[in-house]
Amino acid sequence: MIILGIDPGIATVGYGVVAFEKGSFLASDHGAILTPAHTPLENRLNKIFDDTTELIKKYKAEYLAKAKALYTMLKSKTKTSSDVLKLIDIRDAFLDAAGVMQKTRNCLTDIEKQKLFQEFIKKVIAPTGGKYIDEIVYRYLMSLGEQLGGHMRNVIGKAAQSKLTHAIIAQLQLQNLEFKAHKRNGKWVPGSQYTYKMAEEVRAIRWDNGEYKRMLVYNLTVPGIGGRNKNVDIVIFNKQTDDISSSSMKGLMADAKVLHLMGELKGGIDPAGGDEHWKTTRGALERIREAYKKSYVIFIGASIEKSMSKEIYTQLQNGQLDYVANLTNADQLAAMCAWIVEQ
């Protein structure tokens, strides 16, 4: 974790940066943002803002660089998931990926840490087969989402969306259903031309099983839910269109009957942030239910803590939620996607 401390001022702003790693605080950087004498106030504030923004970017970039370094090492030193067990020197990175908090690690012996490491690789990573490197790096990034702020949460959100896209398309392929994926370049790609690497670019998916037509679109502003910049993560329509521009979607949603399913997707796996994510998500799901009582409502989360799970289970039992799945549990995600495709 990186902590940036600010000593505020108008002429001079002091700062200090410390890193919290392996249970200890380490000084990383310190200094001051200086503004020349007789500088107009608005210019001083602009310089302070710009220099502080650069500081934040600098230390966010360090975590992204770590993720890239982890990917490179796995690519060069492993051929299968079992080879990962030999990389003892970077075990902490794998414990991060497993979502083991630093406070928990401080209470564990080396033998206990090693056992957790082995169980993580065996039960979580090995089942992904040849995609084990992507899975490890994805989980590593998700574990850092709360530490890196808004920009990183966008990265995590995109990674979670890609994972869901993979799972839905896998179900469509398994059931031999015709589908198309809409890429960010504005083109619909037939299922026969779809490749695994396209998932990050997919903004929408549509399919047809002969009985009904469905179209999933990510991140839409839905009328009557929240306000400005309050997008719904997952929206599935019972109608298809070629144009999924904002204006087209707004026109389509003028008829509430086309909104078949809506839901929230949360990718961060930092356990400390799980409850906070749920509080925000719970409010969004309540707004969906109030505005669209006939639509299915779902929740997909990567960090579902015990305190959350009781409330979520209650909502499933009383019909407030139609389906819930843990994004990091392959069986749950596959079952949910099968259900989505069949509705």
Side-chain angles (χ1 to χ4, degrees):
M1 179 185 295
I2 296 290
I3 301 170
L4 171 64
I6 297 289
D7 181 12
I10 294 176
T12 303
V13 174
Y15 67 86
V17 181
V18 295
F20 183 72
E21 293 185 3
K22 299 181 180 179
S24 301
F25 287 99
L26 301 171
S28 297
D29 194 6
H30 66 278
I33 299 170
L34 306 175
T35 59
H38 309 299
T39 301
L41 178 59
E42 61 270 24
N43 292 346
R44 289 181 189 272
L45 294 176
N46 280 333
K47 178 173 174 54
I48 291 169
F49 176 82
D50 290 342
D51 288 6
T52 303
T53 300
E54 286 305 311
L55 269 175
I56 294 169
K57 286 181 179 177
K58 175 183 176 182
Y59 289 100
K60 282 182 179 179
E62 284 192 6
Y63 278 103
L64 290 175
K66 285 183 180 180
K68 291 177 181 177
L70 177 61
Y71 177 86
T72 300
M73 179 174 285
L74 289 168
K75 200 76 173 174
S76 63
K77 293 192 175 184
T78 67
K79 292 184 178 179
T80 67
S81 59
S82 59
D83 293 337
V84 176
L85 293 169
K86 301 173 186 176
L87 304 179
I88 303 298
D89 292 343
I90 58 168
R91 183 177 61 191
D92 276 356
F94 298 119
L95 293 177
D96 281 334
V100 182
M101 295 177 67
Q102 187 64 54
K103 288 182 180 179
T104 302
R105 266 180 266 177
N106 292 341
C107 301
L108 300 176
T109 65
D110 280 342
I111 293 175
E112 289 170 330
K113 289 178 185 177
Q114 184 61 20
K115 185 176 179 181
L116 274 175
F117 175 34
Q118 292 171 341
E119 289 293 299
F120 173 61
I121 300 301
K122 179 181 177 182
K123 295 184 177 180
V124 178
I125 302 303
T128 64
K131 300 172 186 175
Y132 71 96
I133 293 178
D134 289 344
E135 186 70 18
I136 291 172
V137 175
Y138 163 69
R139 286 172 174 271
Y140 179 72
L141 283 170
M142 285 203 301
S143 73
L144 300 178
E146 289 307 304
Q147 301 172 17
L148 295 177
H151 172 71
M152 194 63 232
R153 283 194 290 274
N154 288 338
V155 174
I156 302 312
K158 289 177 182 177
Q161 184 176 304
S162 294
K163 193 174 181 72
L164 178 59
T165 295
H166 285 315
I168 289 175
I169 288 181
Q171 284 296 328
L172 292 170
Q173 291 171 330
L174 183 66
Q175 297 185 35
N176 292 316
L177 297 179
E178 291 188 5
F179 71 92
K180 290 184 178 181
H182 190 282
K183 296 175 66 177
R184 291 199 185 104
N185 63 7
K187 296 181 180 179
W188 286 97
V189 177
S192 59
Q193 297 175 22
Y194 176 83
T195 64
Y196 180 84
K197 293 181 179 179
M198 290 181 186
E200 292 183 2
E201 302 177 56
V202 172
R203 192 186 162 205
I205 309 166
R206 67 188 193 191
W207 64 92
D208 184 349
N209 77 344
E211 296 181 14
Y212 55 74
K213 297 180 184 292
R214 296 285 184 258
M215 180 172 70
L216 181 156
V217 183
Y218 291 114
N219 301 315
L220 285 179
T221 301
V222 178
I225 299 176
R228 188 178 179 185
N229 298 324
K230 295 288 186 181
N231 284 359
V232 177
D233 296 331
I234 304 163
V235 180
I236 297 181
F237 298 92
N238 57 23
K239 187 175 182 180
Q240 297 179 353
T241 62
D242 288 328
D243 183 3
I244 61 167
S245 64
S246 297
S247 57
S248 175
M249 291 296 95
K250 186 176 180 180
L252 181 62
M253 289 185 288
D255 180 4
K257 294 178 182 179
V258 304
L259 289 160
H260 174 68
L261 178 152
M262 285 176 275
E264 291 292 295
L265 171 64
K266 301 302 175 188
I269 63 170
D270 177 9
D275 283 334
E276 290 305 313
H277 279 315
W278 171 243
K279 289 176 184 176
T280 303
T281 300
R282 179 176 57 198
L285 295 172
E286 286 174 358
R287 289 191 293 272
I288 291 172
R289 284 193 297 268
E290 289 173 6
Y292 298 93
K293 292 181 171 60
K294 294 185 178 181
S295 297
Y296 289 111
V297 182
I298 66 171
F299 171 56
I300 306 171
S303 178
I304 298 179
E305 298 303 296
K306 187 175 181 179
S307 57
M308 296 164 51
S309 64
K310 292 178 180 178
E311 184 177 354
I312 290 171
Y313 182 73
T314 298
Q315 290 198 12
L316 279 168
Q317 291 292 96
N318 63 25
Q320 289 178 279
L321 284 170
D322 293 291
Y323 216 119
V324 173
N326 190 318
L327 186 66
T328 65
N329 184 306
D331 291 339
Q332 288 187 21
L333 187 59
M336 171 179 269
C337 290
W339 177 84
I340 287 173
V341 167
E342 291 165 2
Q343 297 310 304

